[in-house]
Amino acid sequence: MNYNNKKTLKDIEVNGKKVLVRVDFNVPVKEGVITDDNRIQAAMPTIKHLIENDAKIILFSHLSRIKTEEDKATKSLAVVAKKLEEVLGKTVKFVPQTRGAELEAAINELKNGEVLLFENTRFEDVKNGEVVKAESKNDPELGKYWASLGDVFVNDAFGTAHRAHASNVGISENIAESALGFLVEKEVENLGKGIDAPERPFVAILGGAKVSDKIGVIDHLLTKVDKILVGGGMTFTFMKALGHEIGNSLLEEDKVELAKEYLAKANGKIILPVDAACASTFADVEPTFCGLDVPEGLMGLDIGPKTIELFQKELAGAKTVVWNGPMGVSEFENFKAGTVAVCESAAKLDNAFTLIGGGDSAAAAIKLGFKDDFSWISTGGGASLQYMEGKALPGIEAIQSK
Ligand code: ADP
Ligand code: MG
């Protein structure tokens, strides 16, 4: 995939224009408090550029999912508007609507350099108690309406770039000019560097729990990488395919045949664990170690020490590392060693390009203190995964070319 030809913020004139900006403010909120403002920080370069260049800035984003009218009470972007004011050091006009007279008037009153944020785009998914998915299913009327509110559209939400929604694709198709924001531009640049133009040796690391979502990535990566290290819950579908015992470990039975197929065509490129750290229940308990087979009554919750050694050896000397999915249940003190070891190995590499594309892997690396040791940590798990599968990202595809 090549998105280098897409217009970016640098290619468009924004002075005095009403600029509609799709940002990703889908931040974690606990009891009304934002627990991590990374995504707000990540949008700063685009927002600041627009302020400095005297645009009238209209921001919008989804927050979580909206399935009922009741969801709307706890999923308002009002809390984000407050945080944004703090981060920006500037007034943000919040409009608690996704359409209508109040929103239109507020937009028309904006002066150059002023910032407005309107309500959660997914409020449009439920109308009078009925699930209509106008935003999530890209209702053409909605995209057209939102596009009518501005002169230019900027997509800076990488987290939803793999979805064709009204707030990205719908607007793009109905507006005179569109461009990528600085965050999305960087995401695309880094993913391209990691996956399409890697320096070799190129080692991919796959783990995590969503086997069915991820197994397709292997197919595409096999055409690109020198090695794929498989860890995490993914491991056991492959071990089963090889005829090993897996106890109560995570398994997606209907993917065993596919795993066999990949192993056959991998030509030794897929490296599987040789041991595991196990427990009898899914709990943060003292691990029991086992080899290639996980005995009955146990489940594998992390890669074992021999596998750590093996993976460290495979990673040494790599020039490109792309990582998606923790090596174990890294949320548990007793089962984080594999994930820590992978972070350490990546951190140690000289002149290598190291990329994390996965929500939980990114969170784990940051929490374990390796935030500054990677070349790029993607802000979109699903979107980067789709890129790794070699599939187009509709939210980016829809943006005009230079
Ligand atoms: P990412 O968000 O990085 O793409 P996933 O969502 O696929 O990763 O998976 C992350 C989850 O996988 C973590 O919550 C972790 O606890 C879990 N996990 C990792 N290894 C195992 C395992 N062996 N058994 C069960 N769950 C696991
Ligand atoms: Mg995840």
Side-chain angles (χ1 to χ4, degrees), residues 332-353:
F332 293 165
E333 271 310 296
N334 285 296
F335 297 99
K336 67 175 192 188
T339 304
V340 171
V342 160
C343 286
E344 280 171 352
S345 296
K348 261 200 291 215
L349 295 172
D350 280 329
N351 301 318
F353 180 76

Side-chain angles (χ1 to χ4, degrees), residues 20-330:
L20 298 164
V21 191
R22 175 57 159 105
V23 282
D24 180 2
F25 286 166
N26 183 30
V27 292
V29 181
K30 270 209 184 99
E31 286 158 15
V33 179
I34 295 171
T35 54
D36 177 356
D37 70 356
N38 265 319
R39 285 184 159 161
I40 297 176
Q41 301 285 358
M44 281 305 117
T46 287
I47 299 173
K48 286 189 172 153
H49 171 90
L50 291 170
I51 294 171
E52 281 157 18
N53 287 278
D54 288 324
K56 296 167 175 156
I57 304 145
I58 304 138
L59 306 174
F60 47 98
S61 170
H62 76 287
L63 177 65
S64 188
R65 288 200 178 125
I66 304 294
K67 291 177 180 150
T68 62
E69 286 295 338
E70 291 71 53
D71 283 345
K72 294 182 181 176
T74 53
K75 307 275 161 62
S76 168
L77 279 181
V79 53
V80 172
K82 273 224 182 82
K83 188 72 184 186
L84 181 60
E85 280 195 329
E86 232 176 273
V87 174
L88 212 49
K90 188 180 166 71
T91 307
V92 172
K93 166 87 184 156
F94 177 66
V95 181
Q97 291 187 330
T98 48
R99 65 164 84 216
E102 187 189 334
L103 174 61
E104 289 158 26
I107 289 173
N108 287 327
E109 279 161 23
L110 278 178
K111 297 197 181 68
N112 291 356
E114 287 186 346
V115 182
L116 176 153
L117 173 69
F118 70 74
E119 188 55 283
N120 188 347
T121 53
R122 288 194 186 162
F123 277 25
E124 289 285 341
D125 282 348
V126 177
K127 264 240 158 95
N128 304 320
E130 195 194 333
V131 179
V132 293
K133 297 208 170 170
E135 153 74 326
S136 301
K137 287 250 166 85
N138 189 13
D139 172 26
E141 183 272 328
L142 182 58
K144 209 167 178 180
Y145 171 71
W146 278 337
S148 76
L149 300 174
D151 305 309
V152 183
F153 174 60
V154 171
N155 189 2
D156 209 22
F158 186 69
T160 44
H162 59 313
R163 306 272 185 238
H165 288 174
S167 65
N168 54 13
V169 171
I171 298 182
S172 301
E173 285 170 348
N174 287 288
I175 201 154
E177 188 161 42
S178 59
L180 302 180
F182 290 139
L183 173 64
V184 172
E185 184 188 6
K186 269 196 147 169
E187 289 275 8
V188 169
E189 202 180 287
N190 281 298
L191 282 162
K193 207 159 138 186
I195 296 174
D196 298 318
E199 256 196 80
R200 295 188 184 279
F202 174 15
V203 182
I205 311 166
L206 282 184
K210 293 185 211 148
V211 185
S212 46
D213 283 358
K214 289 188 181 180
I215 202 152
V217 175
I218 294 180
D219 206 23
H220 184 65
L221 284 181
L222 277 174
T223 66
K224 306 256 178 193
V225 300
D226 297 296
K227 292 279 168 65
I228 302 182
L229 315 181
V230 173
M234 282 261 237
T235 306
F236 305 99
T237 302
F238 282 94
M239 295 313 253
K240 180 94 180 177
L242 288 172
H244 288 292
E245 297 296 326
I246 62 161
N248 296 327
S249 307
L250 203 70
L251 169 70
E252 293 204 21
E253 189 78 60
D254 59 336
K255 299 292 174 194
V256 172
E257 281 311 308
L258 204 56
K260 276 186 194 163
E261 207 180 286
Y262 291 160
L263 284 169
K265 72 173 175 189
N267 246 327
K269 281 186 182 175
I270 295 179
I271 310 292
L272 291 169
V274 291
D275 61 350
C278 307
S280 53
T281 54
F282 190 83
D284 196 2
V285 294
E286 197 64 38
T288 306
F289 293 98
C290 61
L292 288 166
D293 294 280
V294 176
E296 224 183 283
L298 290 180
M299 57 178 86
L301 295 182
D302 194 9
I303 54 175
K306 287 191 189 119
T307 306
I308 288 179
E309 216 173 288
L310 173 68
F311 283 9
Q312 280 169 335
K313 234 169 72 199
E314 292 289 350
L315 282 166
K319 283 282 177 250
T320 305
V321 175
V322 169
W323 175 32
N324 175 290
M327 294 294 94
V329 185
S330 60

